[in-house]
Amino acid sequence: MKISLNFQIFAGAVLGIAIGLALAALGKDAAITQQGVYLAGIAGGVFVDLLKMVLVPLVFTSIVVGVANLRAHHQIHRVWITTLIYSLVTMAISVTVGITAARIFAPGKGLNLEMFQGAIHGFETKQMPVGEFFASFLHSLFLNPFAALAQGNVMAIVVFSLFLGIALVVGGDRYLNLLMLLQELFDLSLRIVGWIMVIAPLGIMALLIKLVATQNIALLGSVAKFVIVILGTTVLHGLVILPLILYAVTRISPFTFFRGAREALVTAFATSSSSATMPVTLRCMEQNLHVNASITGFVVPLGAHLNMDGTALYEAAAALFVANLASIDLNLVQQLVVCFTAMMVSIGAPGIPSAGMVTMIVVLQSVGLPAEAIAILLPIDRLLDTVRTAVNVEGDMVGCLVVQKLVD
Ligand code: ASP
């Protein structure tokens, strides 16, 4: 019998918490606790390293291929400009919602986790005046692509990939070989992610053992609050904001929309993958909501790669949560950088399960927050991924209708 990955991850998380609690009960100084934490630290570290390893090729190829697929539709310039503007606007709204909710409800505030003490020190030494910080951030967006790839500078990679993707579209058929090569690289990267996910249950178990054995129980309460804040705001975006945008532009009622979009939303929820949901999304758009195939054929694949409201919202709010856990106060510019980075890496994240969690590392690092914090976010990621993927796909569908209305 084949046990689903979701269940294995869930079991790994439960086991990790149980073992962590057992070790904590034996006392922090017991030899077995120290050895257990040490081994779990190594195993968890390898898992996080594996995710980081595949991040760069995945983001690079995902964006180039996503943008370059526009080539088949190059006669409709207005469609793609409208799509891009729509994506940027809705993602900007969603990160604003996410970060505002995280500020208002402040999950994780006052915990001051031991695990992050070193990180706080590093953060303090990295502080610089606001203007300088912003200038150096802008500067880091445009880098020699080889340096960006080698250093794993994801922001610069996103920028260069967008340029390369657009150049491939404009260049047309002359560059088909390169496009095919990149497409194959993308497929291979996805395959490697699949292998890494096979050991995800063990990786998550190890990360949790270390986390629970060395932390206080108050953390679990904070995580629960964070989960509620994220689910609440993601649902708000999906049930109120996106339908409002849809109604304002097209006068289509939310009921008509949800009736037509239902299958795709449920599939997205169950698979946690915008890409895997794509065939269903296309069907819902064309058959149920009667969007022209030349529009869906363009907006849906592009959206599955680039347009991710749910992911952007999550990443911005999660960064603030981590800052709270580490008792770090982000200033306004740093919050703006978090929002901007969250948008950029959501564009870079492919539409596969937990992609947002992989790119989360970049958002944390953009303002010097500890990457190890994903140990706290990982176990809850599968749960949150379901809802954020559904909202990602909903955003693509609303996009089809909005673009059709505006371009017609
Ligand atoms: N699973 C999401 C999607 O496919 C991406 C993410 O992890 O946020 O849309």
Side-chain angles (χ1 to χ4, degrees), residues 268 271-277 303-304 307-308 310-312 314-315 346 349-359 381 384-386 388-393 396:
T271 59
S272 290
S273 165
S274 316
S275 295
T277 309
N307 180 40
M308 298 200 178
T311 305
Y314 164 75
E315 308 228 340
S346 309
I352 56 167
S354 288
M357 184 203 64
V358 183
T359 55
D381 193 68
L384 299 180
D385 200 8
T386 52
R388 72 170 185 254
T389 307
V391 170
N392 286 345
V393 170
D396 301 341

Side-chain angles (χ1 to χ4, degrees), residues 139-184:
H139 207 61
S140 68
L141 290 183
F142 307 100
L143 256 191
N144 157 7
F146 297 101
L149 289 169
Q151 293 163 8
N153 181 333
V154 174
M155 298 294 284
I157 296 172
V158 170
V159 173
F160 180 75
S161 320
L162 285 173
F163 276 117
L164 185 62
I166 293 171
L168 283 174
V169 178
V170 175
D173 289 346
R174 278 174 57 198
Y175 303 107
L176 272 183
N177 288 339
L178 183 59
L179 180 59
M180 256 164 60
L181 187 71
L182 288 165
Q183 174 75 52
E184 283 175 5

Side-chain angles (χ1 to χ4, degrees), residues 297-350:
F298 169 81
V299 180
V300 171
L302 188 72
H305 278 270
L306 308 187
N307 180 40
M308 298 200 178
D309 293 4
T311 305
L313 185 155
Y314 164 75
E315 308 228 340
L320 232 72
F321 173 56
V322 171
N324 283 343
L325 286 178
S327 293
I328 289 173
D329 253 333
L330 297 181
N331 63 31
L332 191 67
V333 177
Q334 285 164 328
Q335 287 179 35
L336 283 176
V337 170
V338 164
C339 286
F340 185 68
T341 315
M343 272 174 68
M344 295 295 273
V345 299
S346 309
I347 290 176

Side-chain angles (χ1 to χ4, degrees), residues 6 21 52-53 67 69 75 175 183 193 229 242 258-259 287 291 309 338 343 352 361 366 373 377 388:
N6 275 348
L21 284 174
K52 285 192 187 164
M53 173 186 85
V67 175
N69 278 338
Q75 76 283 19
Y175 303 107
Q183 174 75 52
V193 174
V229 171
L242 284 176
F258 284 116
R259 208 177 313 122
Q287 295 189 356
V291 180
D309 293 4
V338 164
M343 272 174 68
I352 56 167
I361 299 170
S366 72
L377 303 173
R388 72 170 185 254

Side-chain angles (χ1 to χ4, degrees), residues 28-231:
K28 274 191 183 147
D29 298 325
I32 181 158
T33 308
Q34 290 189 349
Q35 278 169 8
V37 168
Y38 176 71
L39 289 178
I42 296 181
V46 168
F47 175 59
V48 174
D49 287 343
L50 282 169
L51 289 175
K52 285 192 187 164
M53 173 186 85
V54 77
L55 178 71
V56 166
L58 193 63
V59 169
F60 174 60
T61 51
S62 165
I63 299 185
V64 180
V65 169
V67 175
N69 278 338
L70 315 189
R71 56 172 51 248
H73 306 268
H74 57 249
Q75 76 283 19
I76 41 177
H77 274 87
R78 278 187 63 200
V79 174
W80 81 267
I81 301 242
T82 318
T83 310
L84 285 185
I85 294 176
Y86 163 83
S87 297
L88 290 177
V89 170
T90 52
M91 286 210 280
I93 295 174
S94 73
V95 286
T96 314
V97 171
I99 210 150
T100 311
R103 282 195 65 88
I104 296 174
F105 299 104
K109 196 115 200 150
L111 269 186
N112 206 352
L113 289 192
E114 209 175 288
M115 172 186 184
F116 295 146
Q117 289 307 326
I120 297 171
H121 181 69
F123 181 82
E124 277 161 4
T125 51
K126 262 191 232 159
Q127 292 279 38
M128 46 172 124
V130 170
E132 207 180 303
F133 183 81
F134 200 65
S136 82
F137 173 71
L138 258 187
H139 207 61
S140 68
L141 290 183
F142 307 100
L143 256 191
N144 157 7
F146 297 101
L149 289 169
Q151 293 163 8
N153 181 333
V154 174
M155 298 294 284
I157 296 172
V158 170
V159 173
F160 180 75
S161 320
L162 285 173
F163 276 117
L164 185 62
I166 293 171
L168 283 174
V169 178
V170 175
D173 289 346
R174 278 174 57 198
Y175 303 107
L176 272 183
N177 288 339
L178 183 59
L179 180 59
M180 256 164 60
L181 187 71
L182 288 165
Q183 174 75 52
E184 283 175 5
L185 258 174
F186 176 59
D187 294 345
L188 288 174
S189 306
L190 285 186
R191 191 174 288 240
I192 296 173
V193 174
W195 291 338
I196 298 175
M197 289 318 279
V198 172
I199 61 153
L202 287 178
I204 288 172
M205 185 173 87
L207 288 167
L208 276 175
I209 290 177
K210 182 169 175 205
L211 187 73
V212 176
T214 55
Q215 299 311 323
N216 53 27
I217 292 303
L219 174 65
L220 292 182
S222 285
V223 171
K225 183 171 172 191
F226 173 68
V227 168
I228 294 170
V229 171
I230 292 290
L231 289 181

